[in-house]
Amino acid sequence: MLQLAVKAFQSKNFDLAADIYECQLAGLGDPGSRQELMVKRADALAFGGKFTEAFDVYRQASEIGRLRPGHLINLVEYLSESISRQDGERRGAESREAVAAGCVPASCATTGCGGYEGFSCRICLSFLFEPVTLPCGHCFCKKCLEREVKEKERPVMCKECRDSSRVADVQSYRVNVVLSNLLAKWFPIPQQAGQLRREGNGLYAERRMEAALEKYNQAILIAPLDHILFSNRSQIHSSLKHYEKALRDAEMACRLMPHWSKGHVRKAQALVSLGRTEEALREYLVSLSIEPDYRLAKTEAHKLLSDLLAPVTDQVPEHISDYSSISSFRAHIKNINTPSQSQHVVVRVQPCLHSSSPDKLEGDMKGQGKLEVSRMDHRFILKRKRRSAEEVEDGGQEKRSQEIQSEVTDSSNCAGVGDILDPTDLECSLCMRQYCKTVLMENLISKYLPSELIERQKIHQEEMAELSNLNKNVPIFVCTMAFPTVPCPLHIFEPCYRLMIRRCMETGTNCFGMCLADNLKGFAEYGCLLEIRDVKFFSDGRSVVDTIGRRRFKVIQHRERDGYNTADIEYLEDVKVEGVAQRELQSLHDTVYDQALVWLNSLKTEQKERIEGHFGPMPGKDSVLQASPNGPSWCWWLLAVLPLEGRAQLPFLALTSLKDRLSGIRKVLLFMAHSKHR
């Protein structure tokens, strides 16, 4: 029967599940088992919409023994989902109204961009600070990614595209320097506030609370709409046991960003310190309705619920037994202090380039004194409207509320975007051309530099057509000897060769030439075309490239491009023979092949295993001797493993006569055999 109840609960037949658990409880005497079944029955009643009855059963279960967090998982899930559903309906309606009224851009209404549309982190919902680009192309704050790994103990998942397949250890990712410099140039005030925040965090880690508080006070003076600053200052106040101030800062963070889960956790922590546990529980549930996997909020909600459900002599307070007071997110957001107080923040910001005189935003701001916002150089011109605060009395304490509304000035007041958006800001540090690897920067280029983008696309198409030609301007890697059909693994670390490999991959040819260095000409006149089979990238830009030799070539003309060598080349093929010459060639081929096997088998076992581990086993004879334009593959394999210097190997690459190549290999094998017997 219990299995049937579980299946009924899973199939959302909650009434049936509750009835089955009730029947099973009738004949059960063991207190521990009774408590388990009572909790399950209460869960079924709650999900079935009978919350008052469910709460009574939870209380009865708590009388047997204190409810553990595991008992309350379903209850917390139900309450947070109720809040989420109600808030989703309200948020959708209010977002449509705000967009229709022109109060916020459509994208901000749906994503909560914190006033920086397109430049915000989807984790903290604030301005990007020290941006890191994930493999999918989306950007987040470095500290936010590190915190995600630490707090959730699972691989990082992109909040934009939900991709986690290519996201490795976040510690290996570095700040996107191009994007970071661009944001610092466009938005100096958020960058300055972010720097102060980082300094304050360092002081907080050193337990220098007063100094940390001063840094955050300075940051809030220049960025009074940054919810993270208020949230972190709330934490500092809590450490200093200034719990009322901590609560005020947490409330401000919630006003500035109502749908940021951490802000509600900060408020709940302050409320717990003040002994207001019922309100704290509501805040934790609000946080879970926004972010269901928030581990800290879930743990604390379980703990508070367990305390509230513990047996008491007095009747349970009405505002707890009535779940609607817990799950009314809309009322909670609009009545942060008292039902009569209402504060609303609307922020609409776009990059604007007109210079203006300094503006001041003055207000009480919960006892923090006057706030002054300096001029955002060439960025934003904000009209700030103040409304006089009304004083209300609540329990003998006076509280002041104010409404801050920030609107962007008319776009006609702004100069052209080109005044601050310089195409060189988006240049690639390797090829010194506008090459964008992040979604954010691609969007910026498309929106603000359309003509430059079209011009660059044309240049790129011409480059790709030119680079796809494997006869002219072929990239040349000057390094070592390479041979047809023989593997050639490479470690790429120089920027010019990183660029070269990237271009080879982009064109689709996946090929480049390999030549020995030459003191006079730069590189040798003969080489081998390599094909890229696989590339493994490292976080610092290095890569290991797995290549294999394809065709021999002769260099016709030496050139250089963006720091690496290129060449016009012509490919070499063996001259075919027929008749008597063919029969003599076949006999010579078989003789030299046998000599090669004798030499290979004469090596020590360790040497032979090392060779085969790197180059693979020696290839067999070709069924048709002259089928390949490069000749038998075993010849090239042997030349690669023979103890010859590159200058001694190079002439074999230039030969177009298979007979001459076989004769040269035979001489080398005979010389090595004689040397071994001496």
Side-chain angles (χ1 to χ4, degrees), residues 82-108:
S82 298
I83 291 173
S84 182
R85 282 193 301 270
Q86 294 179 16
D87 179 50
E89 297 172 359
R90 178 195 59 80
R91 193 187 310 179
E94 291 188 355
S95 295
R96 288 189 293 271
E97 293 174 3
V99 172
C103 294
V104 293
S107 57
C108 280

Side-chain angles (χ1 to χ4, degrees), residues 19-62:
D19 291 341
I20 294 175
Y21 287 128
E22 185 178 15
C23 292
Q24 294 297 308
L25 281 167
L28 197 62
D30 178 59
S33 300
R34 282 187 62 81
Q35 186 185 51
E36 293 289 337
L37 287 186
M38 290 174 74
V39 169
K40 291 180 179 179
R41 179 170 179 260
D43 290 341
L45 290 169
F47 277 87
K50 302 175 181 178
F51 189 82
T52 303
E53 186 178 350
F55 205 90
D56 289 336
V57 178
Y58 281 123
R59 284 189 297 165
Q60 294 170 17
S62 68

Side-chain angles (χ1 to χ4, degrees), residues 7 9 23 35 50 72 93 106 142 166-167 218 260 271 282 310 312 346 373 409 462 551 617 628 646 656 666 670:
K7 291 181 180 179
F9 189 93
C23 292
Q35 186 185 51
K50 302 175 181 178
L72 303 171
K142 188 172 188 294
R166 296 178 295 165
V167 181
Q218 295 174 20
W260 184 47
L271 288 167
R282 187 161 53 237
V312 291
V346 178
V373 180
T409 54
E462 294 172 359
R551 304 176 67 182
S628 171
T656 56
R666 182 170 64 177
L670 289 173

